[in-house]
Amino acid sequence: MLDDFFSRALIAGVGLALITGPLGCFVVWRRMAYFGATMAHSALLGAALALFLRIEPMSGVFLVATLVAGALMLLERIGGLSSDTLLGILAHAALAIGLVAVAAMPWVRVDLMGFLFGDILAVSRTDIAIIFASGVVILGLLAWSWRSLLAATVNEELARAEGLGPTRARVLFMLLLATVIAIAMKLVGILLITALLIIPAATARRLAGGPEAMAVVASLVGAVAVVLGLGGSLTLDTPSGPSIVMAAFLLFLASLLPMAWRRGSAPPDAGS
């Protein structure tokens, strides 16, 4: 089964969706979509660093994403600027430095389109093993810190008063997010990672009643998007990564239909 490139892509994509689902829920709950985009933008700089040091690209992406997360926390403590302003500065600076760094290494052959949009059809057995091994660790750590993260999301001051360590939980969450971005870069690319984190979670928010249920539904929505996106890519000969994100977007639109139908079928206001 793993000898077929489409089967490998399907298994890798579903494995990634199972990881991004719960993490994406916290991105949505904590209104950190821009933070996810900033981390994704830093991936190109990480890839450039990996090429310069001749190390595995995932290692370089994880290192730079972690440094960007640390820089954000440090700048927030210094104060003076809002979080969204700081994220905008870090996102564009990391992307620009990454592009300049790549251009400054003419001896290195770089597939920018591959970094930006990924190539899930090129995953290997080793990539699949990394995804599922990392997924077990990431989901295990997320389950371990679930209560602290959830409490800090609802009320950080109350979580601190109850001794749940919201700052430690936030640092762990950022590290987990950096790890996922490093893994996902090869599959869906830098520009589409954030979409895979946010869209399934936003869809699940319409369909699930509680936090745990939303995390499960987000993973399932992501997995369905992978299957539909890859199927559409194979049938229509379209890019695989964007096709997966487009499928996720269509599922999100479908999740809005019940609400639109209820509003459309509601009786008119008696006072109107």
Side-chain angles (χ1 to χ4, degrees):
M1 182 178 182
L2 293 180
D3 291 332
D4 178 53
F5 73 94
F6 186 80
S7 298
R8 291 197 301 270
L10 198 61
I11 294 170
V14 170
L16 182 63
L18 296 178
I19 305 170
T20 56
L23 282 173
C25 290
F26 279 105
V27 171
V28 170
W29 291 332
R30 298 172 73 94
R31 299 181 180 180
M32 295 176 66
Y34 205 179
F35 173 77
T38 302
M39 298 282 277
H41 278 67
S42 71
L44 182 60
L45 178 56
L49 178 65
L51 290 171
F52 180 75
L53 298 178
R54 301 181 186 275
I55 60 175
E56 179 65 30
M58 284 188 185
S59 302
V61 171
F62 174 77
L63 177 60
V64 171
T66 302
L67 291 175
V68 168
L72 174 63
M73 297 185 70
L74 179 62
L75 291 172
E76 283 180 338
R77 289 190 176 186
I78 294 174
L81 291 173
S82 61
S83 294
D84 61 334
T85 301
L86 292 172
L87 287 170
I89 293 171
L90 290 173
H92 294 95
L95 182 59
I97 295 171
L99 289 170
V100 170
V102 169
M105 295 186 291
W107 64 90
V108 176
R109 192 181 182 89
V110 178
D111 181 13
L112 275 180
M113 294 298 290
F115 282 131
L116 294 175
F117 297 103
D119 187 5
I120 194 172
L121 298 177
V123 296
S124 63
R125 295 185 181 187
T126 304
D127 294 325
I128 293 175
I130 291 173
I131 291 169
F132 280 89
S134 301
V136 170
V137 175
I138 291 170
L139 294 179
L141 289 173
L142 189 62
W144 174 71
S145 61
W146 183 269
R147 184 165 173 261
S148 298
L149 276 171
L150 200 57
T153 301
V154 176
N155 191 319
E156 189 165 337
E157 295 299 326
L158 183 60
R160 186 174 289 108
E162 293 182 0
L164 294 176
T167 302
R168 179 185 62 194
R170 186 185 181 193
V171 171
L172 177 61
F173 174 70
M174 288 182 174
L175 290 175
L176 295 180
L177 199 57
T179 304
V180 169
I181 288 172
I183 296 171
M185 181 188 70
K186 182 174 182 178
L187 301 185
V188 295
I190 294 168
L191 298 181
L192 304 178
I193 293 172
T194 311
L196 199 58
L197 280 166
I198 296 172
I199 297 177
T203 305
R205 195 170 193 172
R206 308 279 181 182
L207 305 175
E212 291 78 12
M214 180 174 162
V216 173
V217 173
S219 293
L220 294 176
V221 170
V224 172
V226 168
V227 174
L228 293 178
L230 285 176
S233 174
L234 186 66
T235 303
L236 303 175
D237 193 25
T238 54
S240 52
S243 297
I244 291 171
V245 176
M246 189 175 72
F249 176 64
L250 292 177
L251 291 174
F252 171 73
L253 292 180
S255 72
L256 299 178
L257 292 178
M259 181 180 297
W261 182 82
R262 284 196 298 268
R263 288 181 177 177
S265 61
D269 189 358
S272 60

